[in-house]
Amino acid sequence: MNKNKRAPADKENSMVRDNQNLNMRAVIEPSSIVVIGASRNPSKVGYAVLKNLITSGFNGWLYAVNPNADNILGVRCYKSIKELPQKVDCAIIAVPAENVNEIIEECGRKGVRGAIVISGGFKEVGEVKRELELTKICRKYGIAMIGPNCLGIVNRKKHVDSIFLPTYKMKRPQLGKISFVTQSGAVGSTILDLIGESNIGVSKFISYGNAAVIDESDLLRYLREDADTSVVVMYIEGVKDGRKFYRELKETCAVKPVVVLKAGKGALAAGAAKSHTGALAGDYKIFQAMLKQAGAVEATNLPELFNLSKIFLQPLPKGDRMFVLTNGGGDGVLAVDAIERNGLKLAQLSGKMRAKLRRILPKHVVVGNPFDLTGDADSTRYRTVLEEAVKEEGIDAIIAITLFQTAGLGSEVVNEIISADIKTDKTIVSVATGGEYTRLLLSIIESSGIPAYGSPSEAVDSIAKALWYYKKRGVGRGTVQSAGDGSV
Amino acid sequence: MNKNKRAPADKENSMVRDNQNLNMRAVIEPSSIVVIGASRNPSKVGYAVLKNLITSGFNGWLYAVNPNADNILGVRCYKSIKELPQKVDCAIIAVPAENVNEIIEECGRKGVRGAIVISGGFKEVGEVKRELELTKICRKYGIAMIGPNCLGIVNRKKHVDSIFLPTYKMKRPQLGKISFVTQSGAVGSTILDLIGESNIGVSKFISYGNAAVIDESDLLRYLREDADTSVVVMYIEGVKDGRKFYRELKETCAVKPVVVLKAGKGALAAGAAKSHTGALAGDYKIFQAMLKQAGAVEATNLPELFNLSKIFLQPLPKGDRMFVLTNGGGDGVLAVDAIERNGLKLAQLSGKMRAKLRRILPKHVVVGNPFDLTGDADSTRYRTVLEEAVKEEGIDAIIAITLFQTAGLGSEVVNEIISADIKTDKTIVSVATGGEYTRLLLSIIESSGIPAYGSPSEAVDSIAKALWYYKKRGVGRGTVQSAGDGSV
């Protein structure tokens, strides 16, 4: 393993970067945790981490290490990791950078096999040697280490939350099926905050920072095999090992969707970080082609990353035949514009469906697609059409647009959309534009696994990318959910 | 004026469509209003309209017409418009379609010169003759009529609100400088709801429906001359008279920005509404070219329409040199990606600014652009850099990104951004991604006229379009605000 050979950090890493032998579950699904550098001072990271583990409801063994305290926030404190009464799965380390390596060595000796190093002060500030040393120690003991210079993880099922940002400033998400992998703690935490407010939920959130041991490819492999993850979403600035990444990405895309936002696309962005301009501009084109070939869905900006994460909570569309239901004509037109721009089609409704709805609905409602229920539509009118649409063979996806603002549309239309979703394995998305009242109703819809969008174009663009993924993966491989469930 | 000649409605309209002689202020800035079809029944439009006029604080003369009531909601009721004790500026009409024309005739005889016909049941349902008759009567008496089949108007300064959607479902915006013109009541009301929740404010909101008399071009002319409007935002499905529209649009764009979202772009969308497919797809290309030539800024979807509305609250950028300030490295990289994609540049900071900031700021903060204040930045650090940036000649626009989620950044950073904006006529925008806490702080920033965006890409895309408009209009024409203020 060349552990003692002097080499630049990247080279050293790439030589031993396979990491197949590491116990990823020790760090991502720990049953016992020790916080090293725990603090009584509420302004310290070591306090926030411990506090968030307690308030998030972690119910495994929890210890703290602080040489000057007996207990912090009711958690038993030890002077050093050597004194812990048992072996623990994961050490969360928040001490000054210069002490990290010594502590990791102690962890190794104590049999700890998972670690999250939150502390910064490594390669990102030029301390290449310190990071190299950290990597070596982890390799020596076989420690699956995430970091350094990261936010760490949120595992909602295990109630693990190592993020040191205050919960009043940043909401934590509910349990869900989406897992997020982010190189940037900053971008990652803002996304987590957004998801926290929505009801779409998260399985794992992993901020991996400098990737001195565990890198984005290892995380892909782990999440591919994770039965609780049905969609993987990644924010990446640079990949450590392109070949490894492509291999893991391709294998993962074959069983569950992976959405990737690549930042640092052009020469300017590269120049902002490093000094070799020009080179990376070309690199992005290659990266983009690589994503496509692997079957990953590319998001071009943050709002799109968020939009695409959600679409994969639905069964994949099996074809391009869209059905647009609305109580506002203008929104229907906007949806059709987006359908056309994406090369999708408007579903042709069968004569049977048309005849039946003509019989039931009021005269002024024109049966068609887009299906404009008109401004006086109530929930019953939505139900009537949705009940037929879910049965209609010629429809692949249903875009249910609701102007909640109209006087006649009660909030129970939310239940009609949710009921329709339960009855079908067609793709269903919800669209509504508006303020607080609208957002409240959309969040109810999202809590039942139906993605909600603030505009018709965002909904249709997302469906189009889901269809691309469906075709890329090959017809007949089932929905995302079943792929996820069957993998363990 | 060919008033008695039988002709298809559109032809009739185009012959008399100039409308220069009509009193637009009677309908948009009325000092006295009568609601015809006022109702005691809260589920009726005629109740909601009267209620919203009262609760919005309209302080002119307010009357109601209802043959079966003495007063409604405390407003004196008359049996017919003939009995009103005075001449009123504007009649808001919410009666069944078959009674509208008779009532408009009475209004004309009574000297009413402004009208809003909310009632549907005209050309949009095939009642072409009824609409033609309505147009004729309005022409006969010189009534500036908005509608039929519309939501009507909100004029925040005059406290006029004719919109019949309940305020608990749809917020009304504060007083601001943006005016909205929308063909679709549905789309318009959802945008109004969104703006109602933000702090950007609205001057006039006009939903003009079938445009039987007043059309989008007349509204452009009115808003061009309106000193309270500094930005015009339009949602258009189809233009009545292309030549007239181009003329008014071009003249308006020469003095204030106009943002246009055209819906019904392609063959499918056209086919959804009418049966002549194919033709309109070409029309859109022409429309798009026409917008560009006139100097209007095109929004391609609803979120962009919203984003672009806000950017014009700021002074126009005078050049392409962007300065990116952030406490999250990843967001800086995303901003640079967007800068590069839009063909903008990163500002080169002067040696003087660099040297000064190097002296003041902590060692670990690297002076550059993007300027990463790092995750431990507090408000003082933002102030230090912003104070230099507003004075720096080589900067045209400042993109202030804040991760409000970090433990060290207090909410007072909001004041630093607002203070910076007061000190400069450079373009300043604010960017923050996140949930409730973040949105709250952004709304404070927006209340002071600084547009706030949920992602770096949205901010940069908006600045790029503002710069396009600045160049199109010609250098040295001053900022939007001064253009607006100088026009009356």
Side-chain angles (χ1 to χ4, degrees):
Chain A
M1 290 290 219
N2 290 318
K3 272 195 296 284
N4 298 316
K5 198 183 154 195
R6 281 269 145 238
D10 274 345
K11 201 174 166 205
E12 171 81 20
N13 283 348
S14 74
M15 279 187 277
V16 289
R17 193 157 278 287
D18 203 351
N19 291 341
Q20 298 260 14
N21 58 323
L22 296 181
N23 185 351
M24 300 284 283
R25 300 181 70 164
V27 58
I28 302 176
E29 306 166 40
S31 294
S32 46
I33 293 176
V34 56
V35 177
I36 304 177
S39 168
R40 281 191 222 260
N41 180 344
S43 73
K44 295 272 185 185
V45 169
Y47 174 91
V49 168
L50 194 64
K51 176 125 199 275
N52 288 341
L53 280 166
I54 295 166
T55 54
S56 68
F58 178 64
N59 51 15
W61 291 102
L62 182 59
Y63 301 102
V65 167
N66 177 322
N68 309 311
D70 283 341
N71 81 75
I72 301 174
L73 293 161
V75 173
R76 175 80 190 268
C77 246
Y78 294 85
K79 301 230 173 303
S80 91
I81 186 150
K82 283 177 277 186
E83 294 175 14
L84 289 192
Q86 65 167 93
K87 229 166 89 168
V88 296
D89 289 335
C90 179
I92 300 178
I93 299 170
V95 299
E98 51 272 26
N99 303 334
V100 166
N101 289 348
E102 187 188 336
I103 280 167
I104 272 284
E105 179 85 42
E106 281 180 24
C107 288
R109 272 190 237 124
K110 185 75 183 182
V112 176
R113 290 301 167 259
I116 297 169
V117 178
I118 290 174
S119 322
F122 292 81
K123 212 159 71 179
E124 85 281 5
V125 293
E127 294 282 356
V128 178
K129 219 170 132 186
R130 182 181 288 154
E131 184 157 321
L132 182 60
E133 184 67 25
L134 174 62
T135 305
K136 272 187 184 175
I137 303 169
C138 291
R139 299 252 172 260
K140 185 167 74 182
Y141 293 104
I143 300 174
M145 191 271 286
I146 289 176
N149 185 34
C150 72
L151 284 182
I153 69 166
V154 173
N155 177 341
R156 288 296 285 109
K157 196 172 178 185
K158 278 283 190 175
H159 306 287
V160 177
D161 180 348
S162 81
I163 292 180
F164 54 86
L165 303 176
T167 50
Y168 80 92
K169 287 187 164 187
M170 185 191 130
K171 294 200 179 164
R172 304 303 204 268
Q174 302 182 15
L175 179 60
K177 302 288 273 179
I178 301 175
S179 286
F180 278 81
V181 173
T182 178
Q183 192 160 4
S184 158
V187 171
S189 60
T190 58
I191 295 175
L192 197 61
D193 187 10
L194 266 183
I195 299 168
E197 200 176 55
S198 83
N199 274 318
I200 63 173
V202 153
S203 177
K204 277 94 188 171
F205 169 88
I206 305 161
S207 153
Y208 64 95
N210 292 9
V213 173
I214 302 293
D215 65 19
E216 60 285 336
S217 307
D218 301 317
L219 293 168
L220 265 177
R221 188 177 59 240
Y222 166 80
L223 292 170
R224 177 170 74 238
E225 292 164 4
D226 178 33
D228 295 323
T229 296
S230 66
V231 191
V232 180
V233 179
M234 310 184 88
Y235 171 87
I236 292 178
E237 291 182 357
V239 162
K240 288 257 162 177
D241 178 338
R243 198 173 299 181
K244 180 181 170 190
F245 182 69
Y246 178 71
R247 192 179 65 228
E248 298 295 351
L249 184 64
K250 196 171 174 185
E251 281 192 42
T252 309
C253 292
V255 292
K256 54 185 82 172
V258 181
V259 181
V260 180
L261 172 57
K262 167 74 168 77
K265 295 184 170 78
L268 261 183
K274 302 184 180 186
S275 59
H276 57 101
T277 57
L280 282 192
D283 283 356
Y284 170 60
K285 294 270 177 218
I286 295 169
F287 190 86
Q288 204 173 23
M290 185 268 283
L291 289 182
K292 201 170 168 186
Q293 201 179 330
V297 178
E298 190 189 357
T300 54
N301 52 43
L302 273 184
E304 205 187 350
L305 188 73
F306 194 56
N307 288 338
L308 289 172
S309 310
K310 301 195 278 191
I311 192 67
F312 291 105
L313 297 174
Q314 275 289 304
L316 293 171
K318 311 292 184 296
D320 58 4
R321 299 166 302 177
M322 304 293 116
F323 178 64
V324 180
L325 185 62
T326 182
N327 60 339
D331 288 274
V333 178
L334 289 173
V336 176
D337 280 340
I339 285 169
E340 198 152 18
R341 181 168 39 75
N342 279 291
L344 303 173
K345 293 195 184 78
L346 278 172
Q348 295 291 329
L349 308 185
S350 67
K352 198 180 143 201
M353 176 172 170
R354 284 173 183 274
K356 185 167 179 186
L357 290 175
R358 267 197 208 103
R359 220 166 38 238
I360 304 173
L361 293 170
K363 278 251 152 55
H364 71 280
V365 176
V366 181
V367 172
N369 186 15
F371 204 123
D372 185 358
L373 294 172
T374 79
D376 67 341
D378 59 5
S379 299
T380 312
R381 214 178 282 170
Y382 270 91
R383 180 173 66 227
T384 304
V385 179
L386 283 170
E387 275 177 353
E388 298 306 311
V390 296
K391 291 184 289 189
E392 181 82 353
E393 276 195 12
I395 293 174
D396 295 307
I398 298 171
I399 299 155
I401 304 173
T402 41
L403 264 83
F404 292 122
Q405 292 94 341
T406 65
L409 189 62
S411 57
E412 61 283 8
V413 67
V414 160
N415 305 64
E416 302 305 342
I417 294 169
I418 294 172
S419 298
D421 181 51
I422 292 166
K423 287 183 202 137
T424 183
D425 62 352
K426 297 182 197 305
T427 310
I428 296 194
V429 301
S430 168
V431 178
T433 312
E436 197 174 22
Y437 177 79
T438 292
R439 237 189 359 258
L440 177 71
L441 294 182
L442 286 184
S443 80
I444 298 171
I445 292 178
E446 281 203 328
S447 71
S448 111
I450 302 166
Y453 297 95
S455 67
S457 60
E458 289 171 287
V460 175
D461 291 355
S462 302
I463 293 174
K465 290 225 175 172
L467 179 60
W468 176 85
Y469 172 71
Y470 173 75
K471 287 179 174 168
K472 181 81 188 176
R473 197 164 102 179
V475 180
R477 301 284 293 270
T479 65
V480 178
Q481 280 79 356
S482 65
D485 295 337
S487 65
V488 166
Chain B
M1 286 292 218
N2 290 317
K3 273 196 292 286
N4 298 316
K5 198 183 151 197
R6 279 273 143 233
D10 274 345
K11 205 180 162 200
E12 171 80 21
N13 282 346
S14 71
M15 278 186 279
V16 290
R17 194 158 278 288
D18 204 351
N19 292 340
Q20 298 260 18
N21 58 322
L22 296 180
N23 185 353
M24 301 286 283
R25 300 181 70 164
V27 59
I28 302 176
E29 308 166 38
S31 294
S32 46
I33 295 176
V34 57
V35 177
I36 305 177
S39 169
R40 280 193 222 259
N41 180 344
S43 73
K44 295 273 185 186
V45 170
Y47 173 91
V49 168
L50 194 64
K51 176 130 200 274
N52 288 341
L53 279 167
I54 295 165
T55 55
S56 68
F58 177 65
N59 51 16
W61 292 102
L62 182 59
Y63 301 102
V65 167
N66 177 321
N68 308 310
D70 283 341
N71 81 75
I72 300 175
L73 292 161
V75 174
R76 175 80 189 269
C77 246
Y78 294 86
K79 299 229 176 304
S80 90
I81 187 150
K82 283 177 276 187
E83 294 175 13
L84 287 192
Q86 65 169 94
K87 230 168 87 170
V88 296
D89 290 334
C90 179
I92 301 178
I93 299 170
V95 300
E98 52 273 25
N99 304 333
V100 166
N101 289 348
E102 187 188 336
I103 280 168
I104 271 285
E105 179 85 42
E106 283 180 22
C107 287
R109 269 189 240 128
K110 185 76 185 179
V112 176
R113 290 301 168 259
I116 297 169
V117 178
I118 291 174
S119 321
F122 292 82
K123 212 159 71 177
E124 84 282 5
V125 294
E127 294 283 357
V128 177
K129 220 172 130 185
R130 181 180 289 154
E131 185 158 321
L132 181 59
E133 185 66 24
L134 174 62
T135 305
K136 273 189 187 175
I137 303 168
C138 291
R139 299 250 171 262
K140 185 167 71 181
Y141 293 103
I143 300 175
M145 191 271 287
I146 290 176
N149 184 33
C150 70
L151 284 183
I153 69 165
V154 174
N155 177 342
R156 288 293 287 105
K157 197 173 177 185
K158 278 282 192 176
H159 305 287
V160 178
D161 180 349
S162 81
I163 293 181
F164 55 86
L165 303 175
T167 49
Y168 79 93
K169 287 185 165 188
M170 186 190 129
K171 294 199 180 165
R172 304 303 202 270
Q174 302 182 14
L175 179 60
K177 301 288 274 180
I178 302 176
S179 286
F180 279 81
V181 173
T182 178
Q183 192 160 9
S184 158
V187 171
S189 59
T190 58
I191 294 175
L192 197 62
D193 188 10
L194 265 182
I195 299 168
E197 201 177 55
S198 84
N199 274 320
I200 63 172
V202 155
S203 177
K204 278 92 186 172
F205 169 88
I206 304 159
S207 153
Y208 63 94
N210 293 8
V213 175
I214 302 293
D215 65 18
E216 60 287 334
S217 307
D218 302 316
L219 293 168
L220 264 177
R221 189 179 56 242
Y222 166 80
L223 292 171
R224 177 170 73 239
E225 292 163 3
D226 178 33
D228 295 322
T229 296
S230 65
V231 190
V232 180
V233 179
M234 310 186 87
Y235 170 87
I236 291 178
E237 291 181 357
V239 162
K240 287 257 162 175
D241 179 338
R243 199 173 300 180
K244 179 180 170 191
F245 182 69
Y246 177 72
R247 192 180 65 228
E248 299 295 350
L249 185 63
K250 194 169 174 183
E251 280 191 41
T252 309
C253 292
V255 291
K256 52 185 85 172
V258 181
V259 181
V260 180
L261 172 58
K262 166 74 168 77
K265 295 184 170 79
L268 260 182
K274 303 186 180 185
S275 59
H276 56 101
T277 57
L280 281 192
D283 283 355
Y284 171 58
K285 295 267 177 220
I286 294 169
F287 190 86
Q288 205 172 23
M290 185 268 284
L291 289 183
K292 203 170 165 183
Q293 202 180 329
V297 178
E298 190 190 359
T300 53
N301 52 45
L302 274 185
E304 206 187 349
L305 188 73
F306 194 56
N307 288 337
L308 289 173
S309 310
K310 301 195 277 192
I311 193 67
F312 290 106
L313 296 174
Q314 275 289 305
L316 294 171
K318 311 291 182 298
D320 58 5
R321 299 165 301 176
M322 304 292 118
F323 178 62
V324 180
L325 185 62
T326 182
N327 61 339
D331 287 274
V333 178
L334 290 172
V336 176
D337 280 340
I339 285 169
E340 198 151 18
R341 180 169 40 74
N342 279 293
L344 303 173
K345 294 194 183 79
L346 279 172
Q348 295 290 329
L349 308 185
S350 67
K352 197 181 143 202
M353 176 172 171
R354 285 175 183 272
K356 184 166 180 188
L357 290 175
R358 267 196 209 103
R359 217 163 44 236
I360 304 173
L361 293 169
K363 278 251 151 51
H364 72 279
V365 176
V366 181
V367 172
N369 186 14
F371 204 122
D372 185 357
L373 295 172
T374 79
D376 66 342
D378 58 6
S379 298
T380 311
R381 213 178 283 169
Y382 270 90
R383 181 175 63 226
T384 303
V385 180
L386 283 170
E387 276 177 352
E388 297 307 311
V390 295
K391 291 185 289 189
E392 180 81 353
E393 275 196 13
I395 293 174
D396 295 307
I398 298 171
I399 299 155
I401 306 173
T402 40
L403 265 84
F404 292 121
Q405 292 94 342
T406 65
L409 189 63
S411 57
E412 63 281 8
V413 68
V414 160
N415 304 62
E416 302 305 342
I417 294 169
I418 294 171
S419 299
D421 181 50
I422 292 168
K423 287 183 203 136
T424 184
D425 62 352
K426 298 181 196 304
T427 311
I428 296 195
V429 302
S430 167
V431 177
T433 313
E436 199 175 19
Y437 177 79
T438 292
R439 239 193 354 261
L440 177 72
L441 294 182
L442 287 184
S443 80
I444 297 171
I445 291 178
E446 280 201 331
S447 72
S448 111
I450 303 167
Y453 297 95
S455 67
S457 59
E458 289 170 287
V460 175
D461 292 355
S462 302
I463 293 174
K465 290 223 175 172
L467 178 60
W468 176 85
Y469 172 70
Y470 172 75
K471 287 179 174 168
K472 182 81 190 175
R473 200 165 97 178
V475 179
R477 300 286 292 273
T479 64
V480 177
Q481 280 78 355
S482 63
D485 294 337
S487 64
V488 166

